[in-house]
Amino acid sequence: MRFLKFLLTAITLSAVAFTASASPTDPKEGVEYKTLAKPQPVDTGKKVEVIEFFDYACPHCAAFDGTLNAWVKKQGDNIVFKRVHIGRQGGDVPQARMFYTLQAMGVLTPELHTKAFNEIHVNRNRMNRDELVFDFVAKQGVDKQKFIDTYRGFGVAAQVRKSLAQMDAYQVEFWPLLIVDGKYQTAPSMANANATTEAQLNEDVTRVLDALVVKAKAEKK
């Protein structure tokens, strides 16, 4: 369903973009990005906050990972980059708990983040059960017992609940989705009506992000 929703969203937004004749380097409101009706507070000072909402199980998030990591590295100290693993009503998602556990332990490097995607989408290990997650992190050199204790703790459970509240606040209906400085929402599926491949969409959204970061930084003055 999420894959179908991604495609439908891309088709719909692309049709709108085509009529508006916008471009990734000169993004237009309602085409390559939209402004949230209720902007959310940021705590990053003069730096621009950029949040990615993602799901380890999402193939589009996996495809976007390398491009996004390169863009974040290029931005450097210009931004404060954060990730939020999506939650699902009615149950915990082992992949989400893994993300917040690794984050809480301070061991979630970009390299480990990419390995988690590869484990699911290349090695075909869905990591949809606790034991599969535990085995994976142990193979990455993470203290297994410490991981399990943190994974089952109240802090991680609270983070999973918080992610659901954040999805509501930022109007997250599909992913990957990016929020710039608490007010601007964009995504690869919004980036370019003329793109013919997902790789092109992923590259083009970084140009949209470039423009939005400049816009948000100017508004901080």
Side-chain angles (χ1 to χ4, degrees):
M1 289 297 292
R2 288 296 173 184
F3 177 70
L4 177 60
K5 190 166 189 176
F6 178 94
L7 290 177
L8 291 174
T9 301
I11 291 169
T12 301
L13 291 172
S14 293
V16 173
F18 180 78
T19 60
S21 299
S23 72
T25 55
D26 183 25
K28 297 295 188 296
E29 162 70 34
V31 183
E32 287 88 5
Y33 75 94
K34 75 174 187 177
T35 303
L36 295 177
K38 295 181 179 179
Q40 299 300 304
V42 297
D43 58 1
T44 55
K46 293 183 179 180
K47 295 182 180 181
V48 176
E49 178 188 76
V50 178
I51 302 174
E52 181 203 20
F53 284 86
F54 80 100
D55 181 358
Y56 275 134
C58 165
H60 307 295
C61 300
F64 186 41
D65 180 58
T67 302
L68 181 59
N69 285 339
W71 179 82
V72 171
K73 185 176 181 179
K74 183 178 178 181
Q75 284 288 321
D77 290 338
N78 199 39
I79 66 170
V80 175
F81 179 64
K82 303 176 182 179
R83 283 188 169 100
V84 176
H85 195 291
I86 62 97
R88 291 188 174 89
Q89 293 284 359
D92 290 340
V93 180
Q95 300 99 326
R97 294 180 70 89
M98 175 180 68
F99 172 77
Y100 291 115
T101 302
L102 293 171
Q103 193 174 70
M105 293 175 66
V107 297
L108 186 61
T109 63
E111 293 76 18
L112 182 52
H113 185 68
T114 298
K115 284 182 179 180
F117 275 126
N118 289 341
E119 184 69 11
I120 294 172
H121 300 283
V122 177
N123 298 337
R124 303 300 180 186
N125 174 11
R126 295 176 62 191
M127 290 200 286
N128 56 351
R129 300 198 311 273
D130 293 347
E131 294 75 14
L132 295 176
V133 169
F134 299 158
D135 289 344
F136 167 75
V137 298
K139 290 176 183 177
Q140 312 312 312
V142 177
D143 185 311
K144 185 174 181 179
Q145 191 54 54
K146 183 177 180 181
F147 179 89
I148 292 172
D149 292 342
T150 307
Y151 182 94
R152 291 174 172 163
F154 292 114
V156 168
Q159 283 292 337
V160 173
R161 291 194 299 272
K162 182 180 177 181
S163 71
L164 291 169
Q166 288 177 299
M167 290 175 70
D168 288 338
Y170 291 103
Q171 300 175 17
V172 177
E173 297 180 348
F174 59 94
W175 40 86
L177 188 74
L178 300 129
I179 305 294
V180 177
D181 227 39
K183 59 181 109 174
Y184 302 122
Q185 182 190 87
T186 189
S189 59
M190 301 168 68
N192 187 352
N194 299 314
T196 57
T197 67
E198 186 170 10
Q200 185 179 349
L201 285 171
N202 290 339
E203 288 292 341
D204 286 342
V205 80
T206 65
R207 298 179 179 89
V208 176
L209 287 170
D210 284 339
L212 291 178
V213 167
V214 170
K215 178 178 174 64
K217 195 162 189 176
E219 292 168 350
K220 286 178 175 289
K221 296 180 180 179

